């Protein structure tokens, strides 16, 4: 009888365990992150999620809290960031030169795990390993091994990672968590992002047998190792939502769809492997793949672009997600600034939501700065402002930030209906539609859209008439009252200014970079070498020398030098004198220098200073693209005719002498004798190092260097690299009128034609001390350092322009909850930055004012007391508001005419 009893007890225990397991699983479903066809589900609730990209290396840790709070105040739920492999693993660590690794694994383990030849051949291979442990040969043998030794914990711990300062990913995510926001972590690890080499480390290019982003063993092993390293780090800090952390989504790979199609079976195999590898890390949160139509289950495929209302996921049970809603566009040296009108951006988001979209991420919400040599492209500027709602310096960009905030509030009012039902679409005209969402509980939300780019439409919906401006959407959270229209901007517009931070001019000292000779660590080879193969991207600069002996020149004419370069810029020196400069651009990085060179009788030294301006970040197998002078290089017009120098003996010097001496650092700056004196005679002197000391301006306004008087080079403050500067590269483009209506493309709204693409360079406040800051500049071509100045960025003026019948959210709340209060008139709201007050009213008019912010003019209708009323309400205040009503302005200046209030106020410090 005991045996059956045991059986019975076992069965009861099994049932209890099963029930416990089911309850646990149910609890995990309610407390975790899942998805269905309508939305991401967090803690059992479908959510409409508004997200924004902020890249942690493009700002400083001291800026993060403020940036994230401003994002939260702007209505965001999620902060999205890439993970930048090449800053976290700048070298492959000690795996290629680690004797303790060899000792740890031992001979037997190596022979077994490397699966090499048996017997004597294996011993010979092992001896090669021991002899070449510090060279790429050792790495190659590791990479080509058939076993998964690369993935073991023992191997991983020998890698050198950098998560300090701007690269402190955990600190950044915890800062987001403290603000109460979620995180979308885009591990990639390929990121594009206009970042140097697309975020992949340059050393990866030199792994034998590697081919990026395809079905390639060495690449997949390296990618998996880094991905698992990041996932492990997040898990150890309990940062995934499944652990109680803020990370609700992760991304693997990035915009791979077009490459997958080109590579066909290899691309599909790699994409499928990447998805399965990512899911296998067990993060407990969904994974996405952007611009990858074939993303396998359970990975969600998502959309990137200026518009995504056309997009549907590849399975009906996946949510519709927009991982990159482009808020503007990046900038290239030699190109114009690209700005996207907020009316169009809001229209694009509203159209996406009305089509059933439930996740929108602004790329970028804060663009930041490409400090150091992190800019990619090539030719991407140091500024990565992106016309984002928060500008490069961390200041709110109005009206973009405020108008989007109003959009987010309107969308959130509709959230329950949006996630509960599919829209019923009704045509209201040739270009007009209504999308109506009705929930089972009786809730109703409607989106009324007019896609006509020219004409306002009057439509009839739900027994009422509505006016829809061109290219706009009105949002009705109760299917009756308009609380927001994408084309009607009611928030203020802000104008910023750059002001001289100090009246004291900088006292400069100089040091000449001697280009006419090379150092002992130079190398000599026959023929021309690819630049990155020589520099390993440790510097932008590679100097190539050749000696030439010439008797007398034919007819006294200077010979012509032809140099073809694969990119990106080139300075030609003959006997230490600059003979000319040439460079490519974002459309074609290759170019040819052609110029007369002043050779003298006897020995001549030709020095070609080849300069990289960021490595490519996008393109099929961009790791195989060339940089630098690869020829042909030809001298024409010599006594003996033409001389092809391409396959002559060349001497290579990696980097500048000043770089090797660390002249930009606090420690290295004293290693040479600097020259004091007037800069007047040096205004066009190329290859010059400059140093000066300065005190920080008082206050908290963001800082920048005005480099408009310089030509091209790099700049450092207290040893920190601000980045590359290039004011000599003038913006070329089509800077015509910018209208918000009609389909937006990056060529549409350009500005800055005929000016330096970038004049001001962000200096983080946290990088400067109150006094005695070291400023070091290296000028390649020859500029006027006396024109360099430190400036502060501040709010100069604010404008508002609001009509009598502007949608007002407060009124919707009153009507929706059955309040009996009198409906309120819309108001103009203006405010200055913290520490500032409104010091003057530059313009004010209630009536029919003309123009726009900075250029307002009186119209035919104007209330004469407008200016005094605004002065009384606003002068001396940080912020003020005035109702747009006849009562407020002492009567109706023009009956039966739609009126507006337009105001421009000056902000200043008290």
């Amino acid at each position: 009888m005991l045996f059956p009893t045991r059986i019975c007890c076992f069965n009861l225990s099994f049932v209890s365990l099963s029930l416990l397991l089911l309850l646990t699983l149910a609890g995990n479903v309610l407390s975790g992150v899942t998805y269905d066809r309508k939305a991401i589900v967090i803690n059992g609730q479908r959510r409409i999620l508004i997200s924004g990209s902020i890249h942690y290396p493009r700002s400083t840790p001291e800026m993060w809290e403020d940036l994230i709070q401003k994002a939260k105040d702007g209505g965001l739920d999620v902060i999205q960031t890439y993970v930048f492999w090449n800053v976290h693993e700048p070298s492959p660590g000690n795996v290629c030169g680690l004797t303790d690794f060899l000792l740890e694994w031992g001979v037997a383990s190596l022979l077994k795990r490397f699966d090499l030849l048996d017997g004597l051949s294996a011993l010979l291979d092992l001896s090669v390993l021991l002899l070449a442990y510090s060279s790429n040969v050792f790495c190659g043998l590791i990479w080509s091994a058939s076993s998964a030794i690369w993935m073991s914990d023992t191997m991983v711990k020998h890698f050198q990672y950098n998560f300090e300062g701007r690269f402190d990913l955990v600190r950044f995510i915890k800062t987001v968590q403290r603000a109460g926001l979620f995180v979308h972590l885009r591990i990639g690890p390929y990121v594009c992002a206009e970042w140097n080499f697309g975020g992949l480390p340059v050393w990866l290019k030199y792994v034998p047998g590697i081919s990026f982003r395809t079905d390639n063993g060495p690449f997949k092993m390296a990618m998996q190792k880094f991905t698992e390293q990041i996932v492990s780090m997040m898990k150890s800090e309990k940062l995934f939502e499944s652990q109680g952390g803020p990370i609700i989504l992760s991304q693997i790979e990035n915009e791979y769809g077009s490459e997958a199609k080109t590579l066909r079976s290899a691309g599909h195999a790699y994409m499928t492997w990447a998805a399965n590898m990512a899911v296998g890390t067990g993060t407990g949160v969904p994974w996405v793949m952007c611009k990858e139509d074939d993303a396998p289950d359970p990975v969600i495929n998502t959309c990137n672009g200026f518009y995504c209302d056309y997009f549907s996921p590849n399975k009906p049970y996946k949510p519709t997600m927009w991982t990159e809603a482009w808020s503007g566009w990046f900038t290239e040296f030699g190109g114009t600034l690209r700005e996207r009108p907020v009316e169009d951006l809001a229209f694009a988001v509203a159209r996406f939501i009305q089509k059933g979209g439930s996740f929108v991420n602004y790329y970028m919400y804060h663009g930041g700065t490409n400090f150091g040599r992190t800019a990619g492209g090539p030719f991407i500027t140091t500024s990565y402002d992106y016309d984002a709602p928060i500008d490069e310096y961390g200041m709110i960009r109005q009206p973009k930030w405020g108008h989007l905030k109003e959009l987010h509030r309107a969308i959130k009012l509709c959230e329950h209906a949006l996630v509960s039902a599919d829209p019923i679409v009704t045509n209201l005209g040739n270009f007009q539609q209504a999308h109506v969402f009705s929930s089972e509980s009786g809730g109703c939300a409607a989106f009324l859209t007019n896609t006509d780019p020219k004409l306002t439409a009057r439509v009839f919906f739900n027994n009422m008439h509505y006016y829809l401006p061109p290219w706009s959407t009105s949002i009705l959270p109760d299917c009756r009252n308009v609380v927001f229209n994408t084309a009607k901007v009611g928030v203020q517009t802000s104008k910023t200014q750059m002001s001289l931070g100090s009246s004291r001019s900088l006292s400069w000292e100089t040091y000449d970079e001697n280009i006419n000779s090379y150092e002992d660590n130079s190398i000599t080879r026959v023929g021309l070498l690819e630049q990155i193969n020589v520099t390993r991207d440790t510097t932008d600069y590679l100097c190539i020398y050749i000696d030439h002996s010439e008797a007398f020149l034919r007819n006294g004419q200077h010979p012509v030098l032809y140099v073809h370069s694969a990119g990106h810029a080139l300075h030609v020196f003959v006997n230490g004198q600059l003979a000319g400069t040439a460079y490519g651009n974002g459309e074609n990085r290759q170019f040819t220098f052609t110029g007369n060179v002043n050779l003298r009788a006897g020995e001549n030294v030709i020095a070609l200073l080849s300069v990289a301006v960021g490595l490519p970040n996008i393109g099929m197998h961009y790791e195989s693209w060339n940089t630098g002078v690869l020829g042909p290089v030809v001298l024409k017009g010599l006594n003996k005719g033409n001389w092809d120098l391409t396959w002559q003996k060349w001497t290579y010097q990696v980097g500048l002498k000043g770089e090797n001496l660390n002249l930009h650092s606090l420690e290295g700056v004293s290693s040479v004798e600097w020259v004091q004196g007037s800069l007047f005679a040096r205004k066009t002197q190329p290859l010059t190092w400059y140093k000066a000391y300065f005190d920080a301006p008082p206050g908290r306004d963001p800082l920048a260097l005005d480099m408009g008087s310089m030509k091209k080079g790099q700049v450092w403050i207290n040893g920190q690299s601000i980045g590359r500067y290039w004011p000599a590269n003038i913006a070329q483009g089509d800077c015509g009128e910018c209208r918000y209506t009609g389909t937006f493309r990056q060529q549409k709204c350009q500005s800055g034609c005929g000016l330096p693409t970038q004049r001001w360079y962000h200096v983080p406040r946290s990088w400067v001390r109150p006094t005695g800051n070291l400023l070091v500049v290296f000028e390649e071509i020859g500029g006027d350092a006396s024109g360099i100045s430190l400036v502060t960025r501040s709010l100069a003026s604010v404008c508002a322009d609001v009509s009598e019948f502007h949608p007002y959210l407060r009124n919707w709340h009153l009507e929706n909850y059955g309040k009996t209060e009198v409906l309120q008139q819309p108001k103009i709201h203006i405010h200055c930055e913290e520490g500032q007050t409104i010091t003057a009213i530059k313009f004010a008019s209630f009536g029919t004012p003309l123009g726009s912010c900075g250029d307002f003019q009186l119209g035919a209708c104007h209330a004469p007391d407008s200016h005094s009323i605004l002065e009384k309400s606003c002068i001396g205040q940080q912020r003020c508001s005035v109702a747009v009503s006849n009562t407020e302005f002492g009567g109706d200046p023009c009956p039966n005419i739609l009126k507006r209030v337009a105001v421009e106020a000056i902000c200043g410090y008290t």
Side-chain angles (χ1 to χ4, degrees):
M1 297 294 293
L2 291 176
F3 186 70
T5 302
R6 289 178 178 174
I7 293 291
C8 181
C9 292
F10 173 78
N11 288 339
L12 286 173
S13 299
F14 179 75
V15 170
S16 299
L17 184 62
S18 300
L19 287 173
L20 180 61
L21 180 61
L22 288 173
L23 289 172
T24 302
L25 290 173
N28 286 339
V29 170
L30 292 176
S31 63
V33 183
T34 59
Y35 65 81
D36 60 20
R37 69 183 188 87
K38 292 297 296 179
I40 296 295
V41 180
I42 303 174
N43 298 328
Q45 298 293 319
R46 291 172 173 166
R47 296 288 303 273
I48 299 291
L49 294 171
I50 309 297
S51 175
S53 291
I54 300 176
H55 295 160
Y56 54 100
R58 283 175 159 145
S59 54
T60 63
E62 293 77 12
M63 297 173 64
W64 292 344
E65 184 175 356
D66 181 64
L67 293 173
I68 292 163
Q69 186 60 50
K70 287 174 178 173
K72 182 179 182 179
D73 294 343
L76 267 58
D77 307 294
V78 184
I79 299 298
Q80 182 189 89
T81 185
Y82 282 122
V83 178
F84 296 83
W85 185 359
N86 55 8
V87 303
H88 294 307
E89 195 176 3
S91 65
N94 292 336
V95 72
C96 298
L98 214 65
T99 55
D100 62 333
F101 165 75
L102 295 175
L103 293 172
E104 184 174 328
W105 280 89
V107 174
S109 178
L110 282 171
L111 289 175
K112 179 180 178 181
R113 287 181 171 266
F114 276 84
D115 194 22
L116 299 173
L117 298 175
D118 293 331
L120 292 175
S121 297
L123 292 176
L124 288 172
D125 284 325
L126 179 59
S127 66
V128 171
L129 291 175
L130 293 171
L131 289 172
Y133 70 90
S134 62
S135 70
N136 284 338
V137 176
F138 178 64
C139 293
L141 289 170
I142 290 177
W143 281 106
S144 60
S146 60
S147 68
I149 186 173
W150 195 255
M151 304 309 305
S152 71
D153 291 338
T154 306
M155 290 292 294
V156 167
K157 77 178 184 180
H158 289 309
F159 276 72
Q160 296 176 343
Y161 292 101
N162 179 11
F163 291 93
E164 302 296 323
R166 301 197 329 272
F167 310 143
D168 192 341
L169 177 60
V170 168
R171 177 179 173 182
F172 178 78
I173 293 175
K174 288 184 175 180
T175 305
V176 177
Q177 184 178 27
R178 285 195 300 273
L181 300 181
F182 298 119
V183 172
H184 178 198
L185 191 65
R186 307 176 82 186
I187 298 177
Y190 165 74
V191 300
C192 185
E194 293 71 58
W195 189 265
N196 194 56
F197 220 46
L200 300 180
V202 171
W203 59 260
L204 195 64
K205 169 180 176 175
Y206 299 101
V207 172
I210 202 164
S211 183
F212 286 9
R213 305 179 70 206
T214 187
D215 190 21
N216 173 265
F219 182 79
K220 291 193 296 184
M221 281 193 286
M223 174 177 168
Q224 182 171 354
K225 178 194 70 68
F226 181 75
T227 301
E228 291 183 344
Q229 171 71 14
I230 296 300
V231 169
S232 176
M233 178 181 292
M234 299 301 105
K235 286 182 177 179
S236 67
E237 298 288 341
K238 300 187 184 309
L239 292 176
F240 287 108
E241 203 281 340
S242 56
Q243 303 172 293
I247 302 174
I248 59 169
L249 292 165
S250 293
Q251 177 178 302
I252 195 70
E253 249 297 331
N254 188 58
E255 296 185 332
Y256 190 65
S258 61
E259 294 206 17
K261 290 180 175 63
T262 301
L263 294 170
R264 298 186 179 181
S265 60
H268 182 78
Y270 164 71
M271 179 273 298
T272 304
W273 166 86
N276 293 334
M277 180 271 290
V279 173
T281 59
T283 61
V285 302
W287 286 83
V288 305
M289 278 184 160
C290 63
K291 295 182 75 171
E292 179 47 75
D293 295 340
D294 296 330
D297 290 352
V299 176
I300 307 166
N301 65 304
T302 66
C303 184
N304 292 355
F306 288 116
Y307 306 94
C308 280
D309 50 288
Y310 64 88
F311 173 77
S312 296
N314 60 17
K315 296 292 176 59
Y317 43 80
K318 295 180 181 180
T320 303
M321 299 176 62
W322 190 0
T323 38
E324 290 188 16
W326 297 332
S327 59
W329 201 243
F330 57 83
T331 307
E332 298 171 311
F333 284 119
T336 53
L337 305 180
R338 313 297 174 92
E339 301 167 354
R340 186 177 188 185
V342 68
E343 299 94 327
D344 177 71
L345 179 57
F347 183 47
V349 172
R351 285 167 62 181
F352 179 73
I353 296 294
Q354 77 179 12
K355 291 290 187 69
S358 58
F359 179 98
V360 177
N361 176 78
Y362 296 102
Y363 187 99
M364 301 292 296
Y365 200 77
H366 164 71
T369 307
N370 292 316
F371 296 113
R373 300 172 52 252
T374 59
F379 301 104
I380 298 298
T381 56
T382 299
S383 171
Y384 198 67
D385 183 82
Y386 222 90
D387 195 35
I390 304 175
D391 74 12
E392 176 185 3
Y393 299 85
M395 297 180 66
I396 287 174
R397 173 175 275 116
Q398 295 280 35
K400 184 165 279 189
W401 183 90
H403 193 54
L404 292 178
K405 177 180 179 178
E406 296 295 314
L407 168 66
H408 304 154
R409 293 173 65 187
I411 290 171
K412 290 294 185 175
L413 291 173
C414 308
E415 183 174 23
H416 180 67
L418 290 170
V419 300
S420 300
D422 294 326
I424 296 174
V425 182
T426 303
N427 289 326
L428 304 177
N430 292 333
F431 299 95
Q432 297 79 36
Q433 285 185 331
H435 289 71
V436 180
F437 298 81
S438 301
S439 64
E440 293 181 357
S441 61
C444 181
F447 289 65
L448 309 184
T449 294
N450 177 18
T451 57
D452 191 323
K454 296 181 179 179
L455 300 177
T456 296
R458 183 173 184 263
V459 299
F460 189 71
F461 170 76
N462 209 7
N463 297 317
M464 295 182 67
H465 285 99
Y466 296 87
Y467 286 91
L468 301 176
W471 202 252
S472 76
T473 293
S474 287
I475 299 177
L476 295 68
D478 55 3
C479 289
R480 182 170 179 266
N481 292 288
V482 176
V483 300
F484 182 84
N485 179 273
T486 58
K488 295 181 177 180
V489 179
V491 299
Q492 75 178 27
T493 296
S494 300
K495 298 291 186 181
T496 57
Q497 63 184 357
M498 293 296 196
S499 304
L500 195 63
S502 173
S503 58
R504 286 183 56 190
S505 60
L506 297 171
S507 178
W508 292 99
E509 299 176 57
T510 63
Y511 174 79
D512 290 341
E513 179 78 22
N514 184 6
I515 195 68
N516 212 33
S517 64
Y518 39 85
E519 298 184 345
D520 294 338
N521 61 354
S522 60
I523 60 173
T524 301
R525 296 288 187 273
V526 173
L528 294 164
L529 304 179
E530 199 276 338
Q531 180 163 336
I532 306 306
N533 288 343
V534 179
T535 67
R536 292 300 202 264
D537 196 39
T538 57
T539 173
D540 281 355
Y541 304 103
L542 179 64
C543 196
I544 313 170
Y545 299 88
I546 192 169
D547 296 329
H548 170 69
S549 180
E550 181 69 13
F552 296 96
L553 301 176
R554 180 181 298 169
N555 300 323
Q557 298 291 324
H558 290 153
V560 177
L561 178 65
Y562 295 84
V563 182
H564 183 73
S565 174
H568 308 130
L570 178 69
H571 308 304
V572 177
F573 293 84
V574 177
N575 299 321
Q577 299 300 309
L578 180 63
T581 291
Y583 47 85
N585 55 51
E587 294 182 0
N588 186 6
R589 62 190 184 278
Q590 299 188 31
F591 61 91
T592 299
F593 168 86
T594 304
N596 294 321
V597 290
N598 185 16
L599 297 183
R600 61 196 178 200
E603 290 295 323
N604 295 273
V605 177
I606 298 174
L608 308 178
L609 182 59
S610 182
V611 187
V613 191
L615 300 189
N617 55 263
I618 190 171
M620 182 69 68
H621 291 306
Y622 64 78
E623 75 273 15
S624 64
W625 296 3
N626 292 326
T627 301
V629 177
L630 292 175
V633 177
V634 180
L635 265 175
K636 296 186 177 181
L638 300 173
N639 286 339
K640 297 180 180 179
N642 299 337
W643 186 28
D644 190 339
L645 306 176
T646 307
W647 288 100
Q648 299 299 312
K649 186 178 290 186
W650 293 86
T651 299
Y652 295 83
Q653 178 72 54
V654 175
L656 305 167
K657 296 179 178 66
E659 282 183 302
N660 296 330
L661 292 170
N662 289 319
L663 293 187
H664 59 272
S665 70
L666 294 170
E667 299 79 16
V669 70
S670 59
S671 62
V672 299
E673 291 291 331
W674 295 79
V675 177
Q676 294 180 329
S678 172
L679 295 178
F680 179 78
R682 306 187 61 86
K683 289 183 178 180
T684 59
Q685 182 71 25
L687 302 188
T688 301
W689 293 84
Y690 298 89
K691 79 162 183 176
Y693 291 91
F694 68 92
D695 297 338
R700 293 185 295 176
D701 286 340
L703 302 177
L705 279 173
D706 184 350
M707 302 296 291
S709 65
M710 303 302 282
K711 298 296 179 61
K712 183 182 184 300
Q714 297 185 38
V715 58
W716 298 262
I717 285 183
N718 292 329
Q720 299 269 19
S721 176
I722 300 301
R724 304 180 180 101
Y725 68 85
W726 200 351
N729 209 335
I730 302 300
Q732 306 292 326
D734 182 10
C735 296
E737 185 180 7
C738 177
R739 295 180 179 273
Y740 82 86
T741 54
T743 302
F744 182 83
R745 292 291 180 262
Q746 61 265 35
Q747 299 85 6
K748 185 175 180 182
C749 291
Q750 303 180 39
S751 63
C753 292
L755 301 173
T757 298
Q758 184 175 352
R759 173 179 172 181
W760 291 286
Y761 295 79
H762 180 210
V763 178
R765 274 276 182 181
S766 59
W767 287 6
V768 298
R769 304 181 292 241
T771 60
N773 296 282
L774 173 65
L775 170 59
V776 175
V777 175
F778 175 69
E779 170 60 41
E780 299 172 17
I781 304 173
D784 180 5
S786 65
I788 298 175
S789 60
L790 188 69
V791 299
T792 60
R793 184 176 177 87
S794 61
L795 204 58
S797 65
V798 293
C799 302
D801 187 353
V802 180
S803 70
E804 290 181 287
F805 299 109
H806 188 84
Y808 193 42
L809 194 60
R810 172 67 175 166
N811 290 337
W812 179 84
H813 280 295
L814 293 175
E815 291 198 355
N816 194 54
Y817 292 101
K819 303 288 185 179
T820 58
E821 300 176 41
V822 176
L823 296 184
Q824 299 182 12
Q825 297 290 335
K827 296 180 178 181
I828 59 106
H829 296 268
I830 54 176
H831 61 88
C832 299
E833 291 287 305
E834 184 178 350
Q836 291 183 320
T837 59
I838 299 169
T839 58
I841 300 298
K842 185 177 180 181
F843 178 90
S845 176
F846 173 60
T848 57
L850 305 174
S852 58
C853 184
D855 190 33
F856 284 130
Q857 299 177 29
L858 296 179
C861 171
H862 169 67
D865 293 334
S866 300
H867 197 275
S868 61
I869 290 170
L870 265 297
E871 281 188 328
K872 182 178 180 180
S873 299
C874 299
I875 294 295
Q877 306 295 317
Q878 183 195 357
R879 59 180 64 236
C880 67
S881 61
V882 176
V884 184
S885 69
N886 295 325
T887 303
E888 185 75 32
F889 286 88
D892 190 341
C894 43
N896 302 318
I897 293 178
L898 179 66
K899 291 169 284 295
R900 301 167 18 239
V901 170
V903 58
E904 181 175 2
I906 305 300
C907 294
Y909 291 98
T910 56

